[in-house]
Amino acid sequence: EMLKILKDILKQDIPLRDVTAQIRQRMDYSSRLQLLHLVYGIALSDGAATPEEIRLIDQIGGDLGLSASDVISVKNMP
């Protein structure tokens, strides 16, 4: 049943900026930075991130209110 719920959720078109705005309000800066690190890790889990994935993750970092230098630092971490 939980898989069915997850599939239904994944079919929805949820505005990314709405999600990042909620996260920004509810998480402190260091937690948002850690979240971005996890998102990069997920993107790289198949061996490489596409330019589109990188662009989207950079946008997420900005929408989360992270500084450009912090986003770059996270992106360049191994």
Side-chain angles (χ1 to χ4, degrees), residues 50-65:
T50 66
E52 177 62 22
E53 288 172 324
I54 296 298
R55 185 199 63 73
L56 182 59
I57 296 169
D58 287 346
Q59 177 188 330
I60 289 169
D63 290 349
L64 289 174

Side-chain angles (χ1 to χ4, degrees), residues 7-8 14 22-23 29 32 42 45 51 53 55 64 66 68 71 78:
K7 284 180 184 180
D8 290 342
I14 300 169
Q22 289 180 20
I23 292 170
Y29 191 90
R32 290 178 293 181
I42 292 167
S45 67
E53 288 172 324
R55 185 199 63 73
L64 289 174
L66 301 173
V71 172

Side-chain angles (χ1 to χ4, degrees), residues 13-50:
D13 185 22
I14 300 169
L16 182 59
R17 290 200 179 205
D18 291 349
V19 174
T20 55
Q22 289 180 20
I23 292 170
R24 189 173 179 171
Q25 291 174 349
R26 291 175 172 82
M27 293 177 78
D28 63 23
Y29 191 90
S30 63
S31 296
R32 290 178 293 181
L33 196 57
Q34 186 175 20
L35 176 62
L36 188 70
H37 189 275
L38 292 171
V39 171
Y40 271 113
I42 292 167
L44 294 170
S45 67
D46 61 356
T50 66

